[in-house]
Amino acid sequence: MPGRNAEVVKRMFDEVINKGRLELVDELFTEDFVSHTGQADLDREGFRGFVAGWRTGFPDVHCEVSQLLEEGDRVSWTVRATGTHEGTFNGIPATGRKMDFLSMNHGQFRDGRGAEHWLVLDMFTLLTQLGVIPAA
């Protein structure tokens, strides 16, 4: 059964990403929160912008969290992201194509709030699905 921190992860994806309730970022993350995305380190405001960008590019974005593992103040999880590219995303004009890819995540929590996050996103699969990179 997931613990308190794993529940924060589930709530963040269910409410912030899937429903667009960006105002909850301040409640769910510490003031000094940082997300290491591999491209940039994002604070709370940067993370809010990241999510807004996803929702602009993929208005029907849906993230399903699985494989939640919690130990102490650490949680690891997998996310399956799906959606339709109906708006500009990272400078890529809408293609109307579907996305379906995975990301691996690890987080550290403090006082029941996300404090630090590491993300490995399968950008190759995403960019191939959008037609930016030719399929092999």
Side-chain angles (χ1 to χ4, degrees):
M1 186 165 145
R4 177 179 172 192
N5 296 328
E7 289 299 327
V8 171
V9 169
K10 288 169 48 179
R11 185 171 177 218
M12 194 280 298
F13 280 94
D14 289 342
E15 296 187 42
V16 176
I17 305 258
N18 293 339
K19 295 178 184 168
R21 296 192 58 206
L22 300 177
E23 72 276 7
L24 294 178
V25 167
D26 292 340
E27 176 185 333
L28 298 174
F29 300 136
T30 61
E31 288 183 23
D32 61 345
F33 170 80
V34 62
S35 179
H36 309 284
T37 69
Q39 296 175 345
D41 287 348
L42 305 174
D43 60 9
R44 288 193 313 195
E45 195 57 37
F47 183 81
R48 204 180 335 266
F50 178 78
V51 173
W54 271 107
R55 294 189 54 78
T56 296
F58 303 91
D60 62 344
V61 66
H62 180 77
C63 290
E64 182 180 332
V65 177
S66 63
Q67 301 175 350
L68 277 161
L69 302 171
E70 181 172 353
E71 185 172 324
D73 67 348
R74 303 283 181 146
V75 180
S76 294
W77 64 96
T78 301
V79 173
R80 179 180 180 198
T82 58
T84 310
H85 187 210
E86 296 178 348
T88 299
F89 170 72
N90 273 7
I92 304 166
T95 62
R97 294 180 179 208
K98 300 284 186 185
M99 69 156 178
D100 186 342
F101 70 97
L102 298 175
S103 68
M104 306 304 147
N105 300 264
H106 182 80
Q108 183 174 17
F109 291 76
R110 188 170 60 244
D111 300 323
R113 296 165 73 196
E116 197 162 8
H117 171 244
W118 293 264
L119 168 67
V120 178
L121 196 67
D122 185 0
M123 287 300 289
F124 180 79
T125 295
L126 173 61
L127 294 175
T128 301
Q129 290 170 349
L130 298 182
V132 175
I133 297 173

